[in-house]
Amino acid sequence: MDRLPQAPPLIAPLPPQADRPLWSVMIPAYNCTHFLPQAIESVLAQDPGPAHMQIEVVDDASTDADVQAVVEELGRGRVGYFRQPTNVGSLRNFETCLNRARGELVHLLHGDDLVLPGFYAELGGLLARYPQAGAAFCNYHHIDESGSRMYTQNSAEMEREGVLEDWLAKIATRQRLQYVTKVVRRSVYEHLGAFYGVTYGEDWEMWVRIARYYPVAYTPHVLAQYRTHTTSISSEKTSTAQSIRDIRFVMGIIQNHLPEDRKKEVLFESKKVWAEYTVTYTTKLWHKHRNLKSVNANTREILRLHINPHISWELSKLYTKIALELLGLKKYVKAALQSTGLKAKN
């Protein structure tokens, strides 16, 4: 089986079941055992019981620890465990999660993320109040490897809960949420299929695909935490600029989900947004790793996306800093400024 499906994989409908739970919390995991206990505990802390919630870890043949032993110790029989016979890759593992899900509502909770108290009660209530919505999501915090809060997602989509207006165009312009925040009706996955095409940005395409066919509900409450760490797929791909190449591929797919009169406008704005985001990230990448190869790779992709005076200025500043550091002149510049009574910024 192809690790990277080229079309949305089928999610088979379930036969009628009288005892079907409302929730399926499916936890895809691969070599994230250091974080996995926190993810499981965050779910168990608001567990309504097995009649209402399926909880299962789907392990993509991890090699960092005995994941089954961790699940059995923490779950005490409450958390299911399924291990892929071989490593199938993240998209096929997500597909397995969705096909194994028995609940009406599916939450894909990555093994390194967390939900906060009230997540399931509020998101479940939101979808009950807006039955026309195919999915719902909340606001979230970004956390680092230690679990410390880095920042909250920039701004709320709405001040109050409700169904989002003009959501297709908004989500098609840029990625605005993470897996951990999103709950999707299983029937929606049965209709639209699973994730495909790339392993960075595949969720963005899915959220656009859902918005094309279904209303989406939202609550501005912060009820989830998305973890950033150096061993994640996104971190690895960003350092090589593969992430932005994947994003350009996803932009092409997204065009197929848009009405003709919005395609050009959305694509232009999307390229601008992603180029500016990548400039900011590339600058942080240099300060953290001092990897000129990564900076150059990302810069080439930025120039393929979009260029404007702001982006040109930021890239000029970045390469000036790099040149000074590589030439060993930075300390002399600081000394010269200090001799005049001025302070040098980093």
Side-chain angles (χ1 to χ4, degrees):
M1 184 180 290
D2 186 359
R3 290 171 63 89
L4 196 66
Q6 297 306 301
L10 175 69
I11 303 303
L14 295 175
Q17 300 174 27
D19 59 347
R20 188 174 177 184
L22 174 64
W23 286 100
S24 281
V25 182
M26 310 304 292
I27 307 177
Y30 176 68
N31 287 357
C32 61
T33 312
H34 177 70
F35 305 116
L36 185 59
Q38 297 174 60
I40 294 173
E41 289 167 355
S42 74
V43 178
L44 290 176
Q46 45 191 306
D47 173 23
H52 303 283
M53 179 179 283
Q54 171 193 10
I55 309 171
E56 182 170 301
V57 173
V58 180
D59 178 15
D60 193 15
S62 294
T63 58
D64 63 337
D66 185 342
V67 179
Q68 183 172 5
V70 172
V71 172
E72 289 176 352
E73 180 181 354
L74 286 172
R76 299 181 181 87
R78 178 65 186 91
V79 180
Y81 176 77
F82 176 83
R83 179 179 172 88
Q84 301 282 9
T86 60
N87 180 265
V88 298
S90 59
L91 298 195
R92 291 299 185 187
N93 205 41
F94 299 157
E95 178 187 350
T96 300
C97 285
L98 298 179
N99 273 311
R100 291 182 62 82
R102 295 182 289 104
E104 300 282 351
L105 308 178
V106 181
H107 183 215
L108 284 177
L109 172 63
H110 289 191
D112 48 6
D113 294 333
L114 303 166
V115 287
L116 296 175
F119 177 91
Y120 296 105
E122 181 149 352
L123 271 292
L126 192 62
L127 286 168
R129 289 189 291 277
Y130 301 97
Q132 74 275 30
F137 69 101
C138 63
N139 207 350
Y140 63 102
H141 295 311
H142 290 251
I143 59 174
D144 62 17
E145 295 190 27
S146 68
S148 298
R149 187 188 306 176
M150 298 164 65
Y151 58 94
T152 302
Q153 180 63 8
N154 292 335
S155 60
E157 300 294 343
M158 295 193 304
E159 293 183 1
R160 301 175 183 175
E161 71 163 51
V163 172
L164 293 159
E165 295 183 6
D166 198 26
W167 180 239
L168 175 57
K170 290 178 181 177
I171 188 61
T173 300
R174 65 176 175 87
Q175 173 66 291
R176 306 170 78 94
L177 61 144
Q178 300 293 340
Y179 278 96
V180 65
T181 70
K182 189 94 169 188
V183 173
V184 181
R185 297 188 194 275
R186 195 184 193 280
S187 59
V188 171
Y189 286 127
E190 292 167 9
H191 173 205
L192 301 180
F195 303 85
Y196 79 105
V198 290
T199 55
Y200 183 92
E202 80 290 343
D203 53 333
W204 181 31
E205 186 280 329
M206 174 62 82
W207 311 149
V208 175
R209 202 185 332 160
I210 291 172
R212 176 183 178 181
Y213 293 99
Y214 296 91
V216 174
Y218 171 76
T219 173
H221 294 156
V222 176
L223 297 168
Q225 294 186 322
Y226 168 72
R227 192 188 305 270
T228 301
H229 58 94
T230 55
T231 58
S232 67
I233 289 175
S234 56
S235 293
E236 293 172 3
K237 283 204 160 190
T238 305
S239 66
T240 63
Q242 184 58 48
S243 59
I244 199 64
R245 288 190 287 273
D246 284 355
I247 287 298
R248 286 198 289 113
F249 175 80
V250 171
M251 285 180 189
I253 298 175
I254 285 174
Q255 286 285 289
N256 298 324
H257 296 313
L258 295 169
E260 285 296 330
D261 63 345
R262 302 298 296 272
K263 288 183 177 181
K264 186 175 180 180
E265 165 202 351
V266 168
L267 183 60
F268 176 84
E269 187 62 26
S270 187
K271 286 182 175 181
K272 176 184 173 184
V273 166
W274 280 105
E276 290 180 343
Y277 167 81
T278 308
V279 169
T280 300
Y281 189 90
T282 302
T283 301
K284 293 178 181 178
L285 197 66
W286 170 255
H287 289 309
K288 188 171 184 179
H289 299 293
R290 297 301 194 273
N291 187 327
L292 183 56
K293 184 178 179 181
S294 292
V295 170
N296 288 338
N298 277 283
T299 298
R300 285 192 293 270
E301 296 304 321
I302 291 166
L303 297 177
R304 288 188 177 106
L305 277 178
H306 182 83
I307 192 69
N308 61 27
H310 172 71
I311 290 173
S312 298
W313 172 244
E314 292 300 321
L315 287 174
S316 297
K317 287 197 302 180
L318 173 59
Y319 276 95
T320 299
K321 289 179 181 179
I322 291 172
L324 290 173
E325 290 188 27
L326 293 180
L327 293 171
L329 296 178
K330 188 174 182 180
K331 60 181 179 180
Y332 298 110
V333 172
K334 283 188 174 182
L337 287 172
Q338 288 168 354
S339 68
T340 65
L342 298 175
K343 290 184 178 181
K345 294 183 178 179
N346 291 332

